[in-house]
Amino acid sequence: MRATRLTYKHKHSYKTLWFGLAGTLLVIAGSILFGYAQAQKQEAEKMNPTKPVPSDVELQQKLTKDQYKVTRQCGTETPFHNAYWDNHKPGIYVDLITGEPLFSSLDKFDSGTGWPSFTKPIKSENVTEKRDTSYGMERTEVRGKSSDSHLGHLFDDGPAPTGQRFCVNSAALRFVPVEKLKEEGYGEYLSLFQPQQQTGGEQPQAKK
């Protein structure tokens, strides 16, 4: 009887050991697969940095009061007291909400208005124009194509070569410096800045 009991205990111990090893292997395999999936997701996000438009409730929670007022209520931020009016660093300006590329620092100029001003969009198809008759004025509103966010207004008093002035609110933009373009999925725009990087200087800022 004793020998039989000892044999049974050994068999039970072996089964427990094998179940433990199998469970450990499953956990390891699951961790590897999860890590791979996360890496693939991050790589996909880098290849396509644009994001879908969140619900209005989410936007109210994520955006600051000024950002929401500008992008969703067609507000205007205070001139000379905003993030990018005096920013001279090389890089691109993307839609705050979707990440869609909108403007380049190469087309930015000092308009003297206190708001970021550009001679043209980085891609014309990324912005839309709309007639604006608010406040008793006849103006052209500029909106983000993918986000339908209010960006600012377009005027015909800009410098050459376009003669246009895209007057944009900083609160509708996010700036991506040239050294982070590839990291954030905007590597295709690096070629725009290669001449500036080779000379080691900042791109010239046109002035009115």
Side-chain angles (χ1 to χ4, degrees):
M1 292 293 292
R2 290 182 181 178
T4 303
R5 287 178 182 176
L6 286 173
T7 302
Y8 175 79
K9 286 181 179 180
H10 281 306
K11 287 183 179 181
H12 181 72
S13 299
Y14 288 142
K15 286 183 179 180
T16 302
L17 179 61
W18 281 113
F19 279 128
L21 287 173
T24 302
L25 289 173
L26 285 173
V27 170
I28 293 173
S31 299
I32 292 172
L33 289 174
F34 178 77
Y36 177 76
Q38 289 296 103
Q40 290 293 98
K41 181 181 178 182
Q42 291 176 1
E43 191 64 27
E45 289 176 349
K46 285 184 178 181
M47 294 297 291
N48 182 23
T50 57
K51 303 174 180 61
V53 180
S55 67
D56 193 65
V57 173
E58 290 179 284
L59 288 175
Q60 290 188 56
Q61 295 174 343
K62 293 179 178 180
L63 303 182
T64 66
K65 184 178 179 181
D66 284 344
Q67 288 171 339
Y68 185 83
K69 181 180 179 182
V70 166
T71 58
R72 266 25 202 167
Q73 299 176 333
C74 298
T76 302
E77 65 193 2
T78 306
F80 302 102
H81 293 280
N82 53 78
Y84 305 127
W85 77 274
D86 197 32
N87 181 34
H88 300 291
K89 296 179 180 179
I92 67 173
Y93 296 81
V94 304
D95 192 300
L96 176 72
I97 293 175
T98 63
E100 192 82 49
L102 298 176
F103 300 97
S104 165
S105 63
L106 298 171
D107 304 309
K108 188 174 184 289
F109 68 99
D110 181 8
S111 64
T113 61
W115 290 290
S117 298
F118 306 87
T119 57
K120 62 182 173 62
I122 198 166
K123 284 185 178 179
S124 59
E125 62 267 29
N126 289 355
V127 300
T128 59
E129 298 175 13
K130 180 181 178 183
R131 185 186 179 200
D132 181 6
T133 58
S134 61
Y135 302 103
M137 296 183 285
E138 184 75 30
R139 297 180 293 175
T140 300
E141 181 191 8
V142 180
R143 303 184 70 87
K145 178 70 177 294
S146 60
S147 65
D148 194 33
S149 293
H150 172 74
L151 303 177
H153 289 88
L154 171 61
F155 302 94
D156 59 1
D157 58 1
T162 66
Q164 295 182 315
R165 172 169 61 94
F166 287 81
C167 187
V168 184
N169 291 279
S170 292
L173 305 172
R174 183 174 73 86
F175 179 67
V176 182
V178 68
E179 63 269 18
K180 289 190 177 182
L181 289 179
K182 185 175 181 180
E183 175 186 335
E184 295 199 22
Y186 301 100
E188 64 181 289
Y189 298 100
L190 273 172
S191 59
L192 297 175
F193 301 92
Q194 285 177 352
Q196 284 70 34
Q197 289 179 325
Q198 288 172 2
T199 59
E202 181 182 308
Q203 75 275 15
Q205 294 288 316
K207 295 188 177 182
K208 287 181 61 180

mmCIF file of all heavy atoms in Angstrom, residues 154-177:
data_model
loop_
_atom_site.group_PDB
_atom_site.id
_atom_site.type_symbol
_atom_site.label_atom_id
_atom_site.label_comp_id
_atom_site.label_asym_id
_atom_site.label_seq_id
_atom_site.Cartn_x
_atom_site.Cartn_y
_atom_site.Cartn_z
ATOM 1 N N LEU A 154 -8.221 83.669 -45.048
ATOM 2 C CA LEU A 154 -7.312 83.896 -46.173
ATOM 3 C C LEU A 154 -7.499 85.308 -46.708
ATOM 4 O O LEU A 154 -8.627 85.744 -46.965
ATOM 5 C CB LEU A 154 -7.603 82.875 -47.281
ATOM 6 C CG LEU A 154 -6.896 83.076 -48.619
ATOM 7 C CD1 LEU A 154 -5.381 83.010 -48.446
ATOM 8 C CD2 LEU A 154 -7.379 82.034 -49.624
ATOM 9 N N PHE A 155 -6.375 86.024 -46.880
ATOM 10 C CA PHE A 155 -6.407 87.388 -47.404
ATOM 11 C C PHE A 155 -5.485 87.489 -48.618
ATOM 12 O O PHE A 155 -4.575 86.666 -48.792
ATOM 13 C CB PHE A 155 -5.969 88.375 -46.316
ATOM 14 C CG PHE A 155 -6.816 88.319 -45.076
ATOM 15 C CD1 PHE A 155 -6.440 87.521 -43.989
ATOM 16 C CD2 PHE A 155 -7.997 89.042 -44.991
ATOM 17 C CE1 PHE A 155 -7.226 87.458 -42.839
ATOM 18 C CE2 PHE A 155 -8.793 88.982 -43.844
ATOM 19 C CZ PHE A 155 -8.408 88.193 -42.767
ATOM 20 N N ASP A 156 -5.707 88.515 -49.426
ATOM 21 C CA ASP A 156 -4.906 88.673 -50.636
ATOM 22 C C ASP A 156 -3.859 89.779 -50.487
ATOM 23 O O ASP A 156 -3.520 90.458 -51.457
ATOM 24 C CB ASP A 156 -5.812 88.966 -51.841
ATOM 25 C CG ASP A 156 -6.640 90.232 -51.660
ATOM 26 O OD1 ASP A 156 -6.498 90.901 -50.605
ATOM 27 O OD2 ASP A 156 -7.428 90.562 -52.572
ATOM 28 N N ASP A 157 -3.338 89.940 -49.293
ATOM 29 C CA ASP A 157 -2.326 90.983 -49.046
ATOM 30 C C ASP A 157 -0.985 90.377 -48.617
ATOM 31 O O ASP A 157 -0.197 91.007 -47.926
ATOM 32 C CB ASP A 157 -2.822 91.965 -47.979
ATOM 33 C CG ASP A 157 -3.166 91.276 -46.652
ATOM 34 O OD1 ASP A 157 -3.003 90.034 -46.562
ATOM 35 O OD2 ASP A 157 -3.607 91.958 -45.717
ATOM 36 N N GLY A 158 -0.731 89.150 -49.030
ATOM 37 C CA GLY A 158 0.515 88.481 -48.661
ATOM 38 C C GLY A 158 1.659 88.804 -49.601
ATOM 39 O O GLY A 158 1.477 89.460 -50.633
ATOM 40 N N PRO A 159 2.852 88.347 -49.279
ATOM 41 C CA PRO A 159 4.041 88.602 -50.109
ATOM 42 C C PRO A 159 4.102 87.685 -51.323
ATOM 43 O O PRO A 159 3.301 86.746 -51.454
ATOM 44 C CB PRO A 159 5.192 88.323 -49.146
ATOM 45 C CG PRO A 159 4.653 87.253 -48.250
ATOM 46 C CD PRO A 159 3.193 87.584 -48.060
ATOM 47 N N ALA A 160 5.035 87.939 -52.200
ATOM 48 C CA ALA A 160 5.282 87.052 -53.342
ATOM 49 C C ALA A 160 5.801 85.708 -52.807
ATOM 50 O O ALA A 160 6.365 85.651 -51.709
ATOM 51 C CB ALA A 160 6.317 87.698 -54.271
ATOM 52 N N PRO A 161 5.609 84.631 -53.515
ATOM 53 C CA PRO A 161 5.118 84.593 -54.901
ATOM 54 C C PRO A 161 3.600 84.443 -55.023
ATOM 55 O O PRO A 161 3.063 84.591 -56.106
ATOM 56 C CB PRO A 161 5.816 83.354 -55.457
ATOM 57 C CG PRO A 161 5.910 82.434 -54.272
ATOM 58 C CD PRO A 161 6.162 83.321 -53.091
ATOM 59 N N THR A 162 2.888 84.145 -53.939
ATOM 60 C CA THR A 162 1.454 83.871 -54.051
ATOM 61 C C THR A 162 0.596 85.113 -53.863
ATOM 62 O O THR A 162 -0.515 85.172 -54.381
ATOM 63 C CB THR A 162 1.021 82.817 -53.017
ATOM 64 O OG1 THR A 162 1.177 83.362 -51.694
ATOM 65 C CG2 THR A 162 1.856 81.543 -53.139
ATOM 66 N N GLY A 163 1.096 86.094 -53.103
ATOM 67 C CA GLY A 163 0.282 87.271 -52.792
ATOM 68 C C GLY A 163 -0.819 86.959 -51.804
ATOM 69 O O GLY A 163 -1.699 87.792 -51.553
ATOM 70 N N GLN A 164 -0.773 85.773 -51.191
ATOM 71 C CA GLN A 164 -1.806 85.365 -50.248
ATOM 72 C C GLN A 164 -1.275 85.348 -48.810
ATOM 73 O O GLN A 164 -0.081 85.177 -48.570
ATOM 74 C CB GLN A 164 -2.339 83.976 -50.599
ATOM 75 C CG GLN A 164 -3.068 83.907 -51.932
ATOM 76 C CD GLN A 164 -3.612 82.525 -52.205
ATOM 77 O OE1 GLN A 164 -2.931 81.515 -52.011
ATOM 78 N NE2 GLN A 164 -4.859 82.444 -52.660
ATOM 79 N N ARG A 165 -2.207 85.535 -47.888
ATOM 80 C CA ARG A 165 -1.857 85.449 -46.465
ATOM 81 C C ARG A 165 -2.869 84.552 -45.767
ATOM 82 O O ARG A 165 -4.011 84.927 -45.572
ATOM 83 C CB ARG A 165 -1.843 86.829 -45.813
ATOM 84 C CG ARG A 165 -1.684 86.779 -44.280
ATOM 85 C CD ARG A 165 -1.401 88.154 -43.694
ATOM 86 N NE ARG A 165 -2.471 89.119 -43.931
ATOM 87 C CZ ARG A 165 -3.468 89.370 -43.076
ATOM 88 N NH1 ARG A 165 -3.552 88.715 -41.922
ATOM 89 N NH2 ARG A 165 -4.376 90.276 -43.378
ATOM 90 N N PHE A 166 -2.412 83.358 -45.427
ATOM 91 C CA PHE A 166 -3.234 82.458 -44.625
ATOM 92 C C PHE A 166 -2.990 82.809 -43.166
ATOM 93 O O PHE A 166 -1.950 82.474 -42.595
ATOM 94 C CB PHE A 166 -2.867 80.996 -44.900
ATOM 95 C CG PHE A 166 -3.330 80.486 -46.230
ATOM 96 C CD1 PHE A 166 -2.618 80.758 -47.390
ATOM 97 C CD2 PHE A 166 -4.500 79.745 -46.331
ATOM 98 C CE1 PHE A 166 -3.045 80.294 -48.629
ATOM 99 C CE2 PHE A 166 -4.939 79.263 -47.571
ATOM 100 C CZ PHE A 166 -4.214 79.551 -48.723
ATOM 101 N N CYS A 167 -3.933 83.529 -42.588
ATOM 102 C CA CYS A 167 -3.812 83.964 -41.193
ATOM 103 C C CYS A 167 -4.453 82.898 -40.310
ATOM 104 O O CYS A 167 -5.677 82.719 -40.315
ATOM 105 C CB CYS A 167 -4.513 85.304 -41.024
ATOM 106 S SG CYS A 167 -4.275 86.064 -39.404
ATOM 107 N N VAL A 168 -3.637 82.168 -39.565
ATOM 108 C CA VAL A 168 -4.098 80.961 -38.867
ATOM 109 C C VAL A 168 -3.927 81.091 -37.353
ATOM 110 O O VAL A 168 -2.966 81.697 -36.866
ATOM 111 C CB VAL A 168 -3.311 79.734 -39.378
ATOM 112 C CG1 VAL A 168 -3.837 78.456 -38.752
ATOM 113 C CG2 VAL A 168 -3.386 79.648 -40.896
ATOM 114 N N ASN A 169 -4.854 80.538 -36.622
ATOM 115 C CA ASN A 169 -4.767 80.502 -35.168
ATOM 116 C C ASN A 169 -3.821 79.399 -34.712
ATOM 117 O O ASN A 169 -3.937 78.249 -35.158
ATOM 118 C CB ASN A 169 -6.146 80.235 -34.561
ATOM 119 C CG ASN A 169 -7.104 81.398 -34.735
ATOM 120 O OD1 ASN A 169 -7.073 82.368 -33.982
ATOM 121 N ND2 ASN A 169 -7.967 81.300 -35.742
ATOM 122 N N SER A 170 -2.914 79.735 -33.804
ATOM 123 C CA SER A 170 -2.013 78.717 -33.244
ATOM 124 C C SER A 170 -2.783 77.602 -32.560
ATOM 125 O O SER A 170 -2.355 76.440 -32.561
ATOM 126 C CB SER A 170 -1.066 79.368 -32.221
ATOM 127 O OG SER A 170 -0.165 80.247 -32.831
ATOM 128 N N ALA A 171 -3.929 77.945 -31.979
ATOM 129 C CA ALA A 171 -4.721 76.975 -31.224
ATOM 130 C C ALA A 171 -5.281 75.862 -32.096
ATOM 131 O O ALA A 171 -5.740 74.840 -31.580
ATOM 132 C CB ALA A 171 -5.871 77.690 -30.510
ATOM 133 N N ALA A 172 -5.238 76.033 -33.421
ATOM 134 C CA ALA A 172 -5.732 74.993 -34.322
ATOM 135 C C ALA A 172 -4.610 74.118 -34.857
ATOM 136 O O ALA A 172 -4.854 73.187 -35.618
ATOM 137 C CB ALA A 172 -6.480 75.635 -35.488
ATOM 138 N N LEU A 173 -3.368 74.431 -34.441
ATOM 139 C CA LEU A 173 -2.201 73.759 -35.006
ATOM 140 C C LEU A 173 -1.370 73.036 -33.950
ATOM 141 O O LEU A 173 -1.471 73.314 -32.756
ATOM 142 C CB LEU A 173 -1.289 74.781 -35.697
ATOM 143 C CG LEU A 173 -1.901 75.674 -36.771
ATOM 144 C CD1 LEU A 173 -0.889 76.731 -37.184
ATOM 145 C CD2 LEU A 173 -2.347 74.849 -37.966
ATOM 146 N N ARG A 174 -0.540 72.117 -34.447
ATOM 147 C CA ARG A 174 0.515 71.513 -33.630
ATOM 148 C C ARG A 174 1.787 71.545 -34.464
ATOM 149 O O ARG A 174 1.775 71.136 -35.623
ATOM 150 C CB ARG A 174 0.173 70.071 -33.241
ATOM 151 C CG ARG A 174 1.233 69.429 -32.318
ATOM 152 C CD ARG A 174 0.789 68.059 -31.853
ATOM 153 N NE ARG A 174 0.868 67.059 -32.917
ATOM 154 C CZ ARG A 174 1.958 66.365 -33.218
ATOM 155 N NH1 ARG A 174 3.100 66.574 -32.550
ATOM 156 N NH2 ARG A 174 1.942 65.462 -34.184
ATOM 157 N N PHE A 175 2.856 72.022 -33.886
ATOM 158 C CA PHE A 175 4.113 72.145 -34.614
ATOM 159 C C PHE A 175 4.964 70.898 -34.443
ATOM 160 O O PHE A 175 5.149 70.400 -33.328
ATOM 161 C CB PHE A 175 4.882 73.371 -34.114
ATOM 162 C CG PHE A 175 6.216 73.566 -34.790
ATOM 163 C CD1 PHE A 175 6.290 73.899 -36.130
ATOM 164 C CD2 PHE A 175 7.399 73.406 -34.083
ATOM 165 C CE1 PHE A 175 7.513 74.074 -36.765
ATOM 166 C CE2 PHE A 175 8.628 73.582 -34.697
ATOM 167 C CZ PHE A 175 8.686 73.921 -36.045
ATOM 168 N N VAL A 176 5.480 70.383 -35.556
ATOM 169 C CA VAL A 176 6.380 69.226 -35.530
ATOM 170 C C VAL A 176 7.733 69.694 -36.060
ATOM 171 O O VAL A 176 7.866 69.976 -37.257
ATOM 172 C CB VAL A 176 5.858 68.070 -36.403
ATOM 173 C CG1 VAL A 176 6.800 66.867 -36.293
ATOM 174 C CG2 VAL A 176 4.444 67.683 -36.003
ATOM 175 N N PRO A 177 8.751 69.826 -35.204
ATOM 176 C CA PRO A 177 10.071 70.298 -35.661
ATOM 177 C C PRO A 177 10.704 69.321 -36.625
ATOM 178 O O PRO A 177 10.407 68.116 -36.609
ATOM 179 C CB PRO A 177 10.875 70.417 -34.360
ATOM 180 C CG PRO A 177 10.193 69.505 -33.400
ATOM 181 C CD PRO A 177 8.743 69.531 -33.764
#
